[in-house]
Amino acid sequence: MGEQPIFSTRAHVFQIDPNTKKNWVPTSKHAVTVSYFYDSTRNVYRIISLDGSKAIINSTITPNMTFTKTSQKFGQWADSRANTVYGLGFSSEHHLSKFAEKFQEFKEAARLAKEKSQEKMELTSTPSQESAGGDLQSPLTPESINGTDDERTPDVTQNSEPRPEPTQNALPLSHSSAISKHWEAELATLKGNNAKLTAALLESTANVKQWKQQLAAYQEEAERLHKRVTELECVSSQANAVHTHKTELNQTIQELEETLKVKEEEIERLKQEIDNARELQEQRDSLTQKLQEVEIRNKDLEGQLSDLEQRLERSQTEQEAFRNNLKTLLEILDGKIFELSELRDSLAKLLECS
């Protein structure tokens, strides 16, 4: 079947800076597909991600690898073969947890596959060693294959009589010689195979020693890389904390900028209100001054009115006095007229009498 994808997700891909070993360098401008692949022919799991036609992740999962969550949406792992540290930024904590679960699952599968492979190698090498050891301890000889001379030829005593037909005795001897040559050839072949197996055993022993040395070196390298990864995780955690703090500060700055903008708008509104209040104050002062002028004028008018009222009262008093005088004059005049009338009547009577 070859190599097939078994799980895929999308994330932003980062790699550790090879110069500083501290900062993250983005290898994709946007979120890309990150997939787990399984190679059934080699029984190998890999993490592969492509940005266009460029492979930005090509990491083979080994039992020594560890996927670490450094934040709610970010995780990383170290690849000693690629001599780098990969980082993935996910859109949610759920995607990160799912990727980490798959990583642990395929890591365990890789460990089991490695153990089975080692068991097969041990089972394959054990029978070869035993067969080689048996050949060394009891090497094959013509006698062990064909038997001794006594076993190959029947006992012939002095008292036994010769066979009547010599031609019949020559045929078994020639047949036995052919069989002996055949077994000698087989013996030579077995000796050659024995020598090859012995050389292979010695080579395997040397390879095992070399593999053990390489394994010890790999373990030391893995321990060193693990320590380095731990240091990088600490640095990454600090960097993530700084990044989180920076993000919070940026959010705070944005909030303060928005608040400042609102305050500036409020200040502009207050300035307009102050200008309107100043205009109203000026109008109020103008009206107050006019009111004062009107009050002064009212006071003047009140003074004039008071004078007029006093004059009116005096005039009324004078008129009342005049009326009284006029009434008195009328009364006197009436008396005088009455007297004149009586006088006229007296005169008339006198005239009549005379």
Side-chain angles (χ1 to χ4, degrees):
M1 294 295 293
E3 199 169 26
Q4 298 291 333
I6 53 178
F7 177 78
S8 297
T9 186
R10 292 185 68 81
H12 292 271
V13 181
F14 299 85
Q15 281 190 15
I16 202 72
D17 190 349
N19 297 323
T20 62
K21 298 293 185 181
K22 294 181 179 180
N23 300 324
W24 288 106
V25 177
T27 56
S28 63
K29 295 181 180 179
H30 50 78
V32 295
T33 301
V34 182
S35 303
Y36 286 99
F37 279 77
Y38 175 64
D39 190 349
S40 58
T41 58
R42 295 188 300 161
N43 202 11
V44 171
Y45 294 88
R46 289 198 301 165
I47 302 174
I48 296 176
S49 178
L50 299 176
D51 188 6
S53 60
K54 179 183 177 183
I56 55 178
I57 298 180
N58 186 5
S59 177
T60 302
I61 300 176
T62 62
N64 296 327
M65 285 184 176
T66 302
F67 185 82
T68 305
K69 298 179 183 179
T70 57
S71 67
Q72 292 183 350
K73 298 181 182 180
F74 192 86
Q76 65 184 45
W77 78 95
D79 190 344
S80 58
R81 296 184 179 181
N83 193 24
T84 188
V85 180
Y86 293 103
L88 296 179
F90 295 88
S91 60
S92 66
E93 186 176 359
H94 172 72
H95 290 86
L96 172 61
S97 300
K98 190 68 175 177
F99 188 88
E101 291 175 2
K102 292 295 181 182
F103 191 98
Q104 186 65 27
E105 177 184 346
F106 299 145
K107 171 187 171 182
E108 184 67 19
R111 184 184 66 80
L112 294 175
K114 183 178 180 181
E115 290 179 356
K116 289 181 181 179
S117 177
Q118 290 178 350
E119 289 177 359
K120 288 182 180 179
M121 290 179 63
E122 291 176 358
L123 292 174
T124 305
S125 61
T126 301
S128 301
Q129 294 176 0
E130 290 177 353
S131 62
D135 292 337
L136 290 173
Q137 292 176 1
S138 57
L140 296 175
T141 60
E143 289 81 2
S144 63
I145 297 174
N146 298 327
T148 59
D149 293 338
D150 295 337
E151 293 173 349
R152 289 199 305 269
T153 57
D155 293 337
V156 179
T157 61
Q158 293 179 358
N159 296 326
S160 62
E161 295 180 356
R163 294 179 182 268
E165 295 181 359
T167 57
Q168 293 178 0
N169 292 333
L171 182 60
L173 290 174
S174 62
H175 182 66
S176 176
S177 176
I179 292 174
S180 177
K181 290 181 180 179
H182 172 72
W183 285 113
E184 286 177 358
E186 290 291 334
L187 176 61
T189 302
L190 290 173
K191 285 183 177 180
N193 292 334
N194 187 19
K196 291 179 181 179
L197 289 173
T198 303
L201 177 61
L202 294 175
E203 184 179 359
S204 298
T205 304
N207 289 334
V208 167
K209 291 181 180 179
Q210 184 178 2
W211 291 341
K212 286 182 178 180
Q213 293 176 356
Q214 290 179 355
L215 179 61
Y218 289 155
Q219 288 177 348
E220 292 178 358
E221 181 68 15
E223 185 67 23
R224 186 184 66 81
L225 290 175
H226 182 69
K227 292 180 180 179
R228 182 60 180 169
V229 167
T230 304
E231 294 175 357
L232 291 174
E233 287 176 354
C234 295
V235 173
S236 177
S237 299
Q238 295 176 357
N240 290 330
V242 171
H243 180 69
T244 304
H245 185 60
K246 182 180 178 182
T247 304
E248 293 176 354
L249 289 177
N250 289 332
Q251 292 178 354
T252 305
I253 290 171
Q254 290 179 357
E255 293 175 356
L256 291 175
E257 287 178 350
E258 293 176 357
T259 306
L260 180 61
K261 186 177 180 181
V262 172
K263 294 296 182 183
E264 288 178 350
E265 292 177 354
E266 187 175 357
I267 288 171
E268 290 295 329
R269 183 176 59 81
L270 290 174
K271 285 181 178 179
Q272 292 179 357
E273 291 180 357
I274 289 171
D275 293 336
N276 295 332
R278 286 178 179 174
E279 292 178 359
L280 292 174
Q281 184 67 27
E282 291 177 356
Q283 292 177 2
R284 179 178 174 276
D285 293 339
S286 177
L287 292 173
T288 303
Q289 186 176 0
K290 289 181 180 180
L291 180 61
Q292 289 176 355
E293 293 176 355
V294 170
E295 287 178 352
I296 294 170
R297 187 176 178 183
N298 285 335
K299 287 181 180 180
D300 294 337
L301 292 173
E302 286 177 355
Q304 293 177 4
L305 180 60
S306 179
D307 292 338
L308 290 172
E309 286 177 352
Q310 291 176 2
R311 291 172 62 184
L312 180 61
E313 288 178 359
R314 287 194 301 269
S315 176
Q316 288 177 353
T317 302
E318 291 176 354
Q319 285 180 1
E320 187 68 26
F322 179 75
R323 285 177 181 177
N324 291 330
N325 292 328
L326 184 61
K327 186 176 181 181
T328 302
L329 289 174
L330 288 173
E331 289 177 354
I332 294 170
L333 184 61
D334 287 337
K336 295 295 181 182
I337 291 171
F338 181 74
E339 290 177 356
L340 288 174
S341 176
E342 287 179 353
L343 179 61
R344 186 180 66 79
D345 290 337
S346 295
L347 291 175
K349 286 175 177 183
L350 288 176
L351 288 174
E352 289 176 0
C353 289
S354 56

